[in-house]
Amino acid sequence: MFFERYGIEKSHVTFYNLEKRLCEHGGLCKKSRNKPKLVINENNTVNILAAITLNPQISQRKLAQTSHMSRSSIQRILKQQKYHPHHLILTQELSMADYDHRVTFCEWLQGVMEIDFFCKILFSDEATFMNSGHVNKHNLHYWAVENPYWMRSVPFQHQWSLNVWCGIIEDFVIGPYFFNETVKSESYCDLLKNHLPALLEHVPLHIRREMWFQQDGASPHFAIITRQFLNEKFGNK
C-alpha cells in the first residue's frame, strides 16, 4: 500500500523500526544519545595532573574511572599540558662486581687506544631466552613532560630455555649460534674451535688478522680449557 500510494519502496524492517520507536519513545524521531561532554576546565586539569604526579604509571582508563571524565577529555588535557606516555626500557641486570670490571676495562682501554681499535674487537655474549614471562611494554606508561627514561632491571639470563651466542665486529654480525644445552666450558670451547671459524667466513681477512676477542667473565669463558685455546689462538688479544 505504501508503494502504491507514494511510489517509494520500503522493506518491512523499516516499518517495524518505526512502530518500535513510536511505542518506546512516543514519537518517530530518533532519540538523541547522551554523549559524555568534554569537561576541560582549570579544576579538572589540576585534578588530572595531581593524579599522574602521585602515580605517573596510572592508565587513562583508571583516570577516567576515578575522575568521572571521558578518556577523550583526559587525552586532551594531557596533550594540552604536553604530557607524553613514555614506554618502559628493559636493561640488563648488573651485579656489584660488574661495576669494578667495567672500570678496569676502561683503564686498560686507555692504554691501548687506537683510532680504529674498536673496529678490531669481536664483541660477543650469550643470552638466554624463554617463551613466557615477558613484559608487555605497550601497557606500561610513565606520564611526564620530559622523558624520565624509565627503566626496569630484568634478569634476562636466568631460568630461560634457549641459549644463544652472537657477536659483532665492525659492521658484521657474527652468528647467531644456538646451544642445545646449558652453556658449559665444553660446549663453549666447542663453539670457539669448531663453529666460530665458519661464522667468521664473511668477515674480510684483514679484519680477522687483527681481531681482538671480547667475552665477559662467565664461568665457561674463564675455564682452563677455554683460556688455553684463546691464548693459543689470539695470544694477548
Side-chain angles (χ1 to χ4, degrees), residues 2-236:
F2 185 85
F3 177 76
E4 294 176 355
R5 176 175 294 185
Y6 299 102
I8 302 175
E9 186 175 357
K10 293 289 184 179
S11 66
H12 68 281
V13 177
T14 302
F15 295 100
Y16 171 79
N17 291 334
L18 290 173
E19 181 185 8
K20 182 179 179 182
R21 197 178 302 158
L22 182 63
C23 295
E24 292 180 355
H25 306 298
L28 299 178
C29 297
K30 291 184 178 180
K31 186 178 180 180
S32 60
R33 297 180 180 179
N34 295 324
K35 297 182 179 180
K37 297 181 179 180
L38 297 176
V39 184
I40 301 178
N41 52 46
E42 183 177 357
N43 184 56
N44 287 335
T45 299
V46 171
N47 290 336
I48 294 299
L49 296 182
I52 63 175
T53 300
L54 293 175
N55 182 12
Q57 303 171 28
I58 192 171
S59 66
Q60 292 186 31
R61 182 178 289 105
K62 188 67 175 180
L63 281 173
Q65 293 174 352
T66 56
S67 64
H68 304 291
M69 297 174 58
S70 65
R71 292 182 62 183
S72 57
S73 297
I74 294 173
Q75 289 176 346
R76 184 171 297 184
I77 289 175
L78 294 174
K79 185 176 181 180
Q80 288 178 350
Q81 300 300 320
K82 301 186 184 304
Y83 276 76
H84 307 282
H86 302 285
H87 289 280
L88 174 69
I89 301 173
L90 300 181
T91 61
Q92 173 62 44
E93 185 179 45
L94 298 177
S95 65
M96 293 301 298
D98 290 331
Y99 298 96
D100 291 336
H101 292 161
R102 290 189 171 195
V103 173
T104 302
F105 173 75
C106 292
E107 292 174 346
W108 170 83
L109 190 60
Q110 289 179 338
V112 297
M113 181 63 72
E114 301 175 11
I115 296 178
D116 59 345
F117 179 72
F118 284 104
C119 297
K120 301 177 182 178
I121 301 178
L122 171 56
F123 294 95
S124 68
D125 200 3
E126 300 87 34
T128 311
F129 297 89
M130 66 178 182
N131 57 0
S132 62
H134 66 279
V135 176
N136 185 357
K137 296 187 292 181
H138 181 74
N139 293 331
L140 296 173
H141 302 96
Y142 194 109
W143 291 98
V145 177
E146 300 292 337
N147 190 345
Y149 297 101
W150 178 33
M151 299 182 183
R152 177 184 297 174
S153 295
V154 179
F156 287 109
Q157 299 183 2
H158 299 285
Q159 301 178 1
W160 291 3
S161 59
L162 180 63
N163 294 290
V164 184
W165 177 94
C166 193
I168 183 171
I169 181 170
E170 203 175 57
D171 295 329
F172 300 94
V173 176
I174 314 302
Y177 176 81
F178 298 92
F179 292 93
N180 295 324
E181 57 182 358
T182 303
V183 182
K184 300 179 181 179
S185 56
E186 293 80 7
S187 57
Y188 183 70
C189 200
D190 177 68
L191 161 66
L192 299 178
K193 291 180 179 179
N194 303 319
H195 301 283
L196 183 59
L199 296 174
L200 289 169
E201 285 186 351
H202 65 293
V203 179
L205 183 60
H206 71 277
I207 295 179
R208 283 182 279 168
R209 285 176 175 174
E210 299 183 357
M211 183 175 68
W212 290 64
F213 186 78
Q214 177 273 334
Q215 60 181 10
D216 58 26
S219 298
H221 303 171
F222 205 66
I224 294 177
I225 58 174
T226 303
R227 285 183 289 166
Q228 287 178 344
F229 172 77
L230 291 176
N231 289 335
E232 294 173 1
K233 184 69 175 178
F234 294 98
N236 63 345

